[in-house]
Amino acid sequence: MAATLSDVAAIAGVSIKTVSNVIHDYPHIRPATKQRVLDAIEATGYRPNLTARNLRTGRTGVISLVVPTLRNPYFAELAEAVMDAADREGLSVLIEQSRGADAGAARASKAQLVDGMLFSTLGREQEDTGLYAQLAPSLENGTAEPAVDHVTMRNTEAIRAATEHLIGLGRTRIVAIGARSGDVSGAAGLRLLGYRQALDAAGIAESAELVRPVASWTRFDGAVETDRLLEEGVDFDGVVAFNDALALGALRTLGQRGIRVPEQVSVIGFDDLDESRYSLPALSTISPGREQIAALAVQMLAERIAARDESLPARDITVPFTLVERESTARA
């Protein structure tokens, strides 16, 4: 039979309450007493009854993370960062893919299983690459619009910096891969704005043929769109891809076509994926603060869970970015 609190208390020579205090890391316990209890727990192999504890506290110790897809390496790396941050908070993570649909349905389906939720939305024509945080609806006492925190990246400023980096290398025919028709406030729209701001500040006229919409932000789309540019005979000497996957696809096509990077065309991405360090050439990119986004979102969610009976205001935080120069934009 599984060991109980009573078994641990009997071996340690303390009360059941003392054992419970040690398990919950109550601070005012004498070190010698705490050690006796820990030794008794190890000797008996006692494991807390999480189901009973959850019934008492109304908490599961689990949060959910809803992302559009784990096939996009950015969201896979974001999930890892969230799990690391949650572990530091003593929380477990349940991961769900919305697969292009609104994240609301996925959030609602897990409401009874978790204490709170983190989600990155993928709307009809836009993508939000930050994280939202909210208590599980079941803990909001039926509130129709629970307070939601938002942690995101500097989409516009970062792509402007990436474009200015290429302009500083003497590039004047810079392709923007990743636009989405009608997107203004999503990541694609905000990044296109940054591209345009950089061109305008440098006195470079925008060329419609250099702004390339894509169906999705994948390596395939980056490769196909770059191939289409070359087939159309479009003259360009730089590529600003709205994420690293698009940039890696562009690098593949350029290499297959015998176009030298960075000698003939400079390429920069956005996300600082781990694989971007190992492409040939290694990809210059924007590091958007993924780990900080994950850590802040988990921290704010943990605060909401701890103070779930209080009304905390919604918080909106934007994290800084870093431009990472690698071989794909090296100076000749």
Side-chain angles (χ1 to χ4, degrees):
M1 294 179 63
T4 66
L5 276 178
S6 298
D7 297 329
V8 175
I11 292 175
V14 298
S15 68
I16 292 176
K17 178 62 174 176
T18 298
V19 175
S20 178
N21 287 342
V22 170
I23 291 172
H24 292 91
D25 202 23
Y26 186 73
H28 305 297
I29 301 176
R30 288 182 297 177
T33 301
K34 182 176 182 178
Q35 189 59 52
R36 289 206 315 275
V37 172
L38 293 175
D39 290 343
I41 289 173
E42 182 176 359
T44 60
Y46 171 75
R47 294 292 180 271
N49 186 328
L50 296 180
T51 301
R53 187 185 69 183
N54 293 343
L55 288 173
R56 289 194 305 270
T57 65
R59 301 183 189 180
T60 66
V62 178
I63 61 173
S64 68
L65 169 66
V66 182
V67 295
T69 174
L70 291 173
R71 293 192 58 146
N72 182 322
Y74 171 82
F75 293 112
E77 293 188 20
L78 178 67
E80 181 180 39
V82 166
M83 288 188 290
D84 288 342
D87 186 62
R88 293 192 294 270
E89 296 284 350
L91 297 168
S92 298
V93 183
L94 178 66
I95 298 175
E96 178 84 0
Q97 298 181 97
S98 59
R99 300 185 185 278
D102 187 285
R107 299 202 309 273
S109 69
K110 298 295 183 289
Q112 303 299 323
L113 305 178
V114 300
D115 295 330
M117 303 179 176
L118 301 174
F119 54 97
S120 183
T121 62
L122 185 63
R124 186 172 61 87
E125 291 286 0
Q126 66 185 40
E127 182 174 0
D128 187 302
T129 44
L131 278 177
Y132 294 85
Q134 71 171 86
L135 286 176
S138 60
L139 301 179
E140 282 288 329
N141 298 319
T143 302
E145 296 183 2
V148 179
D149 298 315
H150 186 208
V151 188
T152 191
M153 57 192 67
R154 299 186 181 278
N155 288 290
T156 300
E157 297 94 329
I159 284 293
R160 175 170 179 166
T163 308
E164 288 175 341
H165 175 57
L166 298 193
I167 293 171
L169 297 172
R171 306 306 189 183
T172 58
R173 295 279 297 172
I174 301 171
V175 175
I177 301 181
R180 285 181 177 151
S181 178
D183 187 342
V184 176
S185 59
L190 294 174
R191 293 179 193 184
L192 181 59
L193 175 60
Y195 165 79
R196 287 171 168 163
Q197 287 178 349
L199 295 184
D200 184 62
I204 300 174
E206 180 184 336
S207 175
E209 65 181 355
L210 297 179
V211 177
R212 312 299 291 203
V214 294
S216 58
W217 287 2
T218 66
R219 299 174 189 82
F220 174 81
D221 291 273
V224 168
E225 197 57 42
T226 303
D227 189 65
R228 186 175 290 119
L229 278 163
L230 296 171
E231 286 295 319
E232 292 173 4
V234 176
D235 178 39
F236 64 97
D237 56 12
V239 173
V240 172
F242 287 4
N243 76 348
D244 280 356
L246 290 168
L248 291 168
L251 283 179
R252 173 72 176 179
T253 294
L254 292 171
Q256 287 178 322
R257 291 295 199 101
I259 297 172
R260 300 188 308 278
V261 177
E263 292 84 359
Q264 293 173 274
V265 176
S266 297
V267 180
I268 189 167
F270 190 114
D271 281 342
D272 195 20
L273 300 178
D274 184 61
E275 65 181 299
S276 66
R277 308 178 188 200
Y278 303 103
S279 59
L280 289 174
L283 179 65
S284 294
T285 185
I286 295 292
S287 179
R290 179 175 52 250
E291 285 74 19
Q292 188 175 1
I293 288 172
L296 285 170
V298 170
Q299 177 185 332
M300 290 195 294
L301 183 54
E303 290 171 356
R304 287 200 174 278
I305 293 170
R308 57 182 175 168
D309 294 327
E310 302 175 21
S311 178
L312 297 179
R315 294 161 288 184
D316 199 330
I317 298 176
T318 306
V319 303
F321 66 90
T322 304
L323 194 153
V324 181
E325 296 183 45
R326 297 196 181 107
E327 296 166 350
S328 68
T329 63
R331 294 182 182 274

